Amino acid sequence: MAPVRDVCVIGLGLIGGSLLRASAASGRTTWGAAVSEVDADAASRAGYDVTTDVEAALHRAAAADAVVVLAVPLPAVENLLRLVAQHAAHCLLTDVVSVKGPMLDAVRRRAPYTRYVGGHPMTGTAESGWLAGEEALFQGAAWVVGVEEDTDLEAWAEVTRLVLDVGAFAVPLPADSHDEAVARISHLPHLFAAILATVGAQGGPLAMSLAAGSYRDGTRVAGSSPELVRAMTEGNRDALLPIVDEALGRLGAARGSLASTGGLAATINAGHEGALALSAARDAARSGVRISLTAPDARDGLIALGERGGHITSLDEDVAVGEVN
């Protein structure tokens, strides 16, 4: 079994800060860096090993052969990867960026000698910054761990061990499958929340005084940092555009039906079935799966598991143990 590596987290907002906390709590030697002096100071005051000197943190990672985790928005990735290439060029590299295709392209261009395995934890809140983070944020959460044709499966296993150590379960997926899925269940909802919040606010004080649960639920993520929402939605443009078209088609059909017959049964019923599908997926019985990471078809097996909605729950030497519906 590979050694348990130290962890260097670059970026200490909600996700990076939570990962620093959770990784340290798991027993790993962990340190971090943040450009934000506010976040770095708050983390240091909380007792964590943190600096604002990103280059120094990366030098330390190279010396310790640590896992480097990039926890910054996509627009900040290019410059950070230049520093990684200069100071930690051969480290095991992962990230928590919410768009994987552009991230993979950037790593291949800017830091081609790192052993890169993409990552994306499917959890979070509408808050941001170090103070929004919490050690238990990843407990029971899905965490996509990238599998491409050229992915080093030993590196994949090490990143997966880190994911499991902080309480999440790993979902093996290639970048294109990830980006299409999150366009549907994350990025489009962010756009809808923004539109709902805008339309509601146009109703003025009366509308706001009457707003209750359905409005709060539908607009919750509109309270997220606009810069972070723009980074993930604009960064996933290629995958998001056809999903927006699909949503507009459904809205157009609902509008046409309301105008012509006054009925919205097709739209409402389809939405209800969609909500039930989420509940059914969560409640479905699962069967065990074991995938040998040394088998010639290991990558195909991992991807097939992830694309069927399965996930990895543990690693036993060179065998990934998972569950699937």
Side-chain angles (χ1 to χ4, degrees), residues 85-97:
Q86 292 172 16
H87 305 293
H90 298 283
C91 278
L92 175 57
L93 179 69
T94 187
D95 70 287
V96 296
V97 176

Side-chain angles (χ1 to χ4, degrees), residues 52-159:
T52 55
D53 189 338
V54 174
E55 294 185 17
L58 290 172
H59 271 297
R60 181 177 174 185
D65 197 18
V67 181
V68 176
V69 185
L70 306 187
V72 299
L74 184 61
V77 161
E78 292 274 347
N79 287 334
L80 184 52
L81 284 174
R82 291 189 183 95
L83 294 179
V84 170
Q86 292 172 16
H87 305 293
H90 298 283
C91 278
L92 175 57
L93 179 69
T94 187
D95 70 287
V96 296
V97 176
S98 61
V99 183
K100 301 273 55 90
M103 183 70 201
L104 181 62
D105 291 343
V107 171
R108 286 173 172 168
R109 284 186 287 104
R110 299 298 183 189
Y113 299 111
T114 59
R115 289 174 296 142
Y116 174 67
V117 179
H120 181 205
M122 302 302 299
T123 187
T125 71
E127 305 301 320
S128 59
W130 167 265
L131 294 178
E134 55 182 291
E135 180 184 313
L137 183 67
F138 308 112
Q139 290 295 321
W143 190 313
V144 173
V145 184
V147 183
E148 309 297 333
E149 290 184 358
D150 58 350
T151 298
D152 179 335
L153 291 185
E154 289 186 5
W156 180 90
E158 288 199 57
V159 172

